[in-house]
Amino acid sequence: MNNLNSLQYFLPELFLSASILIIIIVDLLLKKDKKIITAYLSVLAVLVAFFLAYRQYNYAFTSLFEGMIVLDSFAVYFKVLTALSTIIVIFISMPAFRRHSEYYILLLVVTLGMFLMVEVNDLLMIIIAMEMVGIISYVLAGFNKFNMKSNEASLKYVLYGAASTGVMAFGFSYIYGLTGHTNLFAIQQAIVGHSLQPLPVFIAFVMVVAGLGYKIAMVPFHFWVPDVYEGAPTPITAFLSVGPKAAGIALFIRFLITVVAHPASQTTFIQNVQIQAPLLLAVLAVVTMTLGNVSALGQKNIKRMLGYSAIAHVGYMMMALVVFNTRGFTAIMFYMVVYMFMNFGAFWVVQSMTPHLGSEDISAYKGLGYRHPLTAVAMAVFMLSLTGIPPFAGFIGKVYLFAAIIKQNWYTLAVIGVINGVISLYYYAYVIKVMFLDRDEEIKAISVPLYDRVLLWLLLIPVLALGVYWGPLIDLAHNSIGFFFGN
Amino acid sequence: MIKLALFIWLLPLAAFVINILIGKRLPRKGDWLSVGAIGISFILSLIMLYRVLVDYDPNFLVQGSVPWIDLGVLKLNMGLYLDNLAVIIVTAVSTVSFLVHVYSIGYMEGDPLYNRFFAYLSLFSFSMLGLVMWDNLFGIYMMWELVGICSYLLIGFYFTKDSAANAGKKAFIVNRVGDFGFLIGLLIVISTVGSFNLTTIHQAVGQGVLHGGLLTAAGILLFAGAVGKSAQFPLHVWLPDAMEGPTPVSALIHAATMVAAGVYLMARLNFMLTFDAMLVVAYVGGFTSLFAATIAITQNDIKRVLAYSTISQLGYMIMAMGVGAYVAGFFHLVTHAMFKAGLFLGSGSVIHAMHHSMEKTGIHGDPNDMRQMGGFRKKMPYTHITFVIFSLALSGIPFFSGFLSKDAILGGTLAFAMSQSNPIHYLLPTFGFVAAIITAFYMFRLIINTFYGKPKNESLFKHIHESPKVMTIPLMALAFLSLYFIYTIPSISPAGPEGGWFTHLIERPISAVATQLGHPVLFIPEHTEHAAHVNGMLISIIFALTGILLAYLFYYWKKIDVEKFTQRIKPLYALSFNKYYMDELYQATVVSGLLLWNQMLAWFDLHVIDGIVNGSAWVVRNFSFMDGWIDKYIVDGLVNLVANMTLAFGKSVRKIETGQIQNYILGAVLGAFFIIILTMI
C-alpha cells in the first residue's frame, strides 16, 4: 500500500505522535507545581492509543508504507500489551515523579517506538524502531541525575546498546548483501529461491540474534541487565523488564517466523536457513534461565534480584520459542501478559515500600507481614506467582510453556526448566520468609496511602483472576498468532 | 436474556466483595449495598419473568456458555441454562431474598457484625442464584457447596454462643454425608457420559450410554445430596438445630431457598431417574413428611415447630418428584417458599418483640418459647393477620396458594398409588394425608398459643409491641404472594392451578430413561389422574379442617384437657417430644462409634505399635551411632554439597558481572563466538 493510503491504518501511532507534541507544548505553559498534569495527559494519550490499537484487531493482514510495516493481529496484541505496560508504569511513577513532565513525554516516545517495533517488516525499520526505544531507555535509566549509580547504569547501557546495535546492523548488511533486499518477505523469498552460501547466512543470523538478544536480555548478551536494573529508577526498571522486552520478543518471533523458518503447515516448520535453530535456541534458553536463577540466589538487593529473575523469565519464554509452532507462541504471548502483571506488582511493592523501609535490601523487608499485612500478602502472591505455584497466574503461564515443549518431546529441556523453577523458589520464598517469619520485637505499623493500595489491588487482581479463569486470554493469544499459520 | 441473568447473578457477588472488604467503613455499614444489589436483581428477575410470560412457551430455553477449563481430556464450560423452571425459581429466590434483606435491616439493627451479616446474605444470594442457573452439574455442585458454606457461616453467626457454633458444625458435617453421595454420583456421570452438561447428559442417557443398575445408582446417589441439603430422613437432624441462626437466615436459607435446592436438583435430574430410583425418592420423601410432622406437634420452641414443618413440607415435594408429580412438586416449592418465609419472618417478628420485652423487664428466658407467649393478637395486628394467612396456606385451605400445590401433590400421589398394581404403594398417599391433618393441627396449635388466649406472662406481655414497618411490609408482601390467584392467572378458579400460567409454563421434561427403555417409566392413565385429583381434593380439605378443629378443641375451647391427654399417651408423647431420639441415636451409634474407633486406634498405637517401636528401638540404638555418623558426614554432606555447589556456581557466575563495560562487551563477543562454534558442530 502506498504511503498516503497507509495513514488510515496508522492511527494509533499518529495519535501518539500528535499527543507527544501537544504535551510538550502544554508542559511549557504549566507552572512548576502543576507539572503532574502532563502525567494524566500521558495516561489519557496512551489509553486512547490503546483503544485505537485494539480496534485494529482482526483487520485483515495489511502491508503499509510500501512494505516497511505490516499490520496484523499479532502486532495488535503486542501493541495493546505494551500500551498497557506504559499505562501501568505511568501510574507507578506518579508518586515519585511529580515535577518531571519530560519523564512522561519520554515514556510516550518509548511507547511509540514499541508500537513500531512490533509491526516492522523491514531491516531499516527494525533499526529505527529499536533505536527509538533504546536511546530513550538510556535517558530514562539515567533519569536520577544526581545518583551516581543511575548515571553509571545509563552510560553502561549506552555503550552496551551501541555495541550490540552495531553488531546487528553489521548482520543486516550481510543479509542485504546476500539477498539484495531489506524487506523481510523479500528476504525470505530470496533465501528460498536462491541456494545461498550457508556460512554467511548463518553468521548474519547470529549477529542479528545478538542484537535482538541484547534487547530481551538473553544470555550471553545480558551483561548490562543487573547494573542497569539496579541503577535505574525503580519504575523504569520495571518498565524495561516488561514493555521493551515484550516488544523485543515480538520482533524476535516475527523475524524467526518470516526469515528463518517458513510456515509450511500448522505443526511443523520447514527451515529456510540451514542451521539448527531449535537446538541453538534451546541451549540459549537453558543457559539464560540457569544463569538468571543461579545469579539471583545470593542477591541482597531486591531490585537486583528481580533483575536476575527477569533474565530467568526470558529463559522460560525462549523455551517455548524452540518448538516453533502455534502452541509455543501462544504460550509465550500468554506468559508475557501474566508476567507483566506479576512483575509490575513486585516492582510496585518495592517502589512503594522503599520510602518506608529506607532501603532496597531484602533484609529491610523483615517483619513486613506484621507492619503492613496487605502489601506483604500481595508481595507473597507475586513471588509465588513468579515461581509458578498454583493457583496464581504464573502457574498457568508456565503450564502452557511446558505443555508446548512436552508436546514436541523436548523432555530434557522441560526437566531443566522444572529444576530451574525449584532453584527460583529458593530466592522468591526467601523474600516471603523474611516478611513473615522474621520479626522485630516491636512492630512499627506502616500506613500506606489509598493510591498505593488501589494500585496494588489493580495489579493483584489480574494475577489472582488469571489463575482461575484464563480461557479468553489464551484464546485471544491463539487467535492473534493464527495469521502466521494461515488461519 | 443471558446478559440479564448474568446481572441478576453477579450483582450480589459484587455487593459481597465490597461489603466484606470495606463494609464496616461505609455509611450505614453497607446494608444499602447488599439490599440495593439484590433489589436490582429482583427487578431484573421480574423483567425476565415478564418476558417469559409474554412468550408463554412451555419449551422456552436460552443457553449460553463460555469455555472455562480445558485440560484436553476434560473440558469444562461455564454457562447458564435458562428455561421456565430456572426463570421461575430465580424470581422466587430473588423475591424472598430481597424481602428478607429488607426485613433484616430492622431485625439485625445494632448488631456488632451488621455489615458481615449483609455480606453473607449477598454471598448466599449469589450462590443460590448460580445454583439454579448453571448449565452443568459441576457448577451446580460448586454452588451447592457455596450455599452450604453460607449456611454454615450464618447458622454460626452468633459464634460466641456454643450452641450456635455447634449447630453450624453439625449442619456442615451432616451435609457432608449427603454431599459425598452427590460427589460419587457426579463421578459416575462423568466417567460414563464424559460431560457434566445437563443437555449432554440427557442425550447420553437417552442413547443408553448410562443404563441399568448404574443409572439407578447414579440417580440414588445424586438424591443423597438432596437428602442432606433438603433435610430428609435420616439426615434431617441438622435443620432444627440450624434455627440457632438469626431468624431472617432461617427464613431465607432454611425455609425458602437453600433447603429447596435438593428439590430443585431432583426436578433438574428428573429425566434420569429410573423407576427404582423414583421409588426410593418417593418413600424417603413420604416418610419424612409424616415423621417430621409428628415431631412438630409437641415442640414448644416456635422456630423448631416451623423447622419440622419445613422438613415435612420438603418431604412432600420430594415425594412428588418421586411419584412423577413433577409439576406439583415444583409448584409446592415456589408457593412454600413464599408462605414459609413469611411464617419465619412472622415468628421473627414475635421473637424480636419478646427479645426487646425481655431486655426491658430484665427477665432472662428463651424468647422463642411459646409457653411465654399468648394473646399477642391485639399487640401485633399485622404480624397476627399475616401469620394466619401463611398458616392457612400451609394447612392447605382453599383460596390460598398452599391449597393448590399441596392438593396437586396429594392428588398426584394418589394417582400413582391407584395406577400401580402393588397395593403397598397406598402407603404413600396415606403418609401424605395423615401429615396433612397433623400440619393443620400443629400450625393452629402454634397460632392459638401465640396470638390467642390469655397472656401467660403478664409482665412480658406489657412490653410487647408491633415490629417496625421495615419488618411488617415484607410480611404483607409475602402474605399477598400466598393468595391463590397469583398462581392461577388468567384462570381464577380456586379449585386447581389448571389453566393458570404456572402449569402452562412448567411441563414434565421428557424422561431420558423412557427414551432409553422405549416405554414410559411410570404410566398413569388420564382417568385415574382425574379421579385421584377430585378425591384427593375432597380428602385434603376435610383433613385440613379436621386438623384445625382438633387444634381449637385442644387449645382454644379446651374441651379436651391437654395435660390429661398427654399423660394418657405418655410414651408416644415422649417419643415425639424427643424427636424419636434421633439425636441420641446418632450420638450413641455414629458419634460414639467413631470415638470408640478412635480409642481403639489409640490403644493399638499405644500398645502394639509403640511396643514394636520400643522393641526395635534398642536394636536401632546400637546402629544409631554409626547411622548418625553416616548421616552427618555423608548424607548431609551430599545435600549440603549440592546446595553449596549451586550457591558457589551462582557466586562464580556473578563474578562475570565485574562492572566493567569492556568485560561485558568482551563477554558478549565471546558468547557470540561460542554460539557460532556450537551450531557449526
Side-chain angles (χ1 to χ4, degrees), chain A residues 215-440:
Chain A
K215 194 92 239 168
I216 65 173
M218 177 183 86
V219 175
F221 312 108
H222 71 288
F223 292 97
W224 59 278
V225 173
D227 289 353
V228 172
Y229 280 14
E230 192 184 345
T234 310
I236 293 304
T237 310
F239 183 59
L240 290 179
S241 67
V242 176
K245 189 185 282 176
I249 284 177
L251 183 54
F252 205 159
I253 293 177
R254 191 182 288 280
F255 186 81
L256 282 179
I257 297 180
T258 23
V259 176
V260 178
H262 177 61
S265 73
Q266 276 269 35
T267 48
T268 54
F269 270 81
I270 296 172
Q271 288 200 25
N272 301 324
V273 187
Q274 294 297 317
I275 49 166
Q276 294 196 322
L279 186 64
L280 171 62
L281 288 171
V283 172
L284 289 178
V286 167
V287 176
T288 304
M289 62 186 158
T290 311
L291 199 117
N293 278 325
V294 173
S295 308
L297 276 181
Q299 292 303 334
K300 308 241 168 356
N301 181 304
I302 195 156
K303 263 166 80 182
R304 216 172 157 90
M305 184 272 270
L306 285 171
Y308 277 115
S309 103
I311 299 178
H313 283 275
V314 171
Y316 296 138
M317 283 185 263
M318 284 185 57
M319 207 165 59
L321 217 50
V322 169
V323 296
F324 265 31
N325 63 16
T326 328
R327 200 185 281 272
F329 294 131
T330 309
I332 295 173
M333 290 161 77
F334 178 78
Y335 197 78
M336 206 58 234
V337 175
V338 170
Y339 178 66
M340 171 171 79
F341 285 113
M342 54 199 190
N343 202 39
F344 270 140
F347 273 110
W348 171 236
V349 172
V350 174
Q351 166 77 354
S352 64
M353 280 298 117
T354 305
H356 299 291
L357 304 175
S359 160
E360 286 170 359
D361 287 346
I362 297 177
S363 53
Y365 285 74
K366 186 173 166 187
L368 187 65
Y370 306 93
R371 300 181 65 188
H372 194 260
L374 171 67
T375 309
V377 169
M379 186 66 167
V381 170
F382 295 135
M383 291 292 122
L384 293 174
S385 182
L386 282 165
T387 321
I389 286 176
F392 306 115
F395 168 71
I396 307 298
K398 272 201 180 159
V399 165
Y400 277 99
L401 289 176
F402 282 111
I405 56 172
I406 288 172
K407 270 271 178 228
Q408 299 292 319
N409 304 329
W410 287 84
Y411 295 118
T412 321
L413 185 56
V415 169
I416 296 174
V418 172
I419 292 174
N420 265 285
V422 176
I423 297 175
S424 74
L425 178 63
Y426 174 81
Y427 60 84
Y428 287 132
Y430 178 68
V431 177
I432 302 176
K433 181 214 157 216
V434 169
M435 288 192 302
F436 289 97
L437 298 183
D438 304 349
R439 58 192 286 190
D440 290 319

Side-chain angles (χ1 to χ4, degrees), chain A residues 156 159-160 163 199 202 206 220-221 223 226-227 280 284 291 294-295 297-299 308 468-469, chain B residues 66-68 78 646 649-650 653-654 656-657 659 661 664-665 667-668 671 675-676 678-680:
Chain A
K156 281 180 182 167
L159 292 171
Y160 203 93
L199 186 64
F202 166 66
V206 172
F221 312 108
F223 292 97
D227 289 353
L280 171 62
L284 289 178
L291 199 117
V294 173
S295 308
L297 276 181
Q299 292 303 334
Y308 277 115
V468 287
Y469 185 60
Chain B
V66 287
W68 180 30
M78 281 198 276
T646 318
F649 182 45
V653 167
R654 268 199 310 282
I656 54 179
E657 288 293 330
I661 190 76
Y664 289 2
I665 295 174
I675 293 173
I676 294 175
L678 180 89
T679 13
M680 297 279 274

Side-chain angles (χ1 to χ4, degrees), chain B residues 474-512:
Chain B
L475 283 175
M476 289 183 240
L478 286 169
F480 178 71
L481 290 172
S482 303
L483 299 178
Y484 82 100
F485 61 83
I486 307 276
Y487 305 93
T488 61
I489 289 172
S491 140
I492 49 158
S493 148
E498 285 76 23
W501 60 273
F502 197 98
T503 41
H504 178 83
L505 287 181
I506 300 293
E507 271 181 0
R508 186 162 183 223
I510 300 155
S511 170

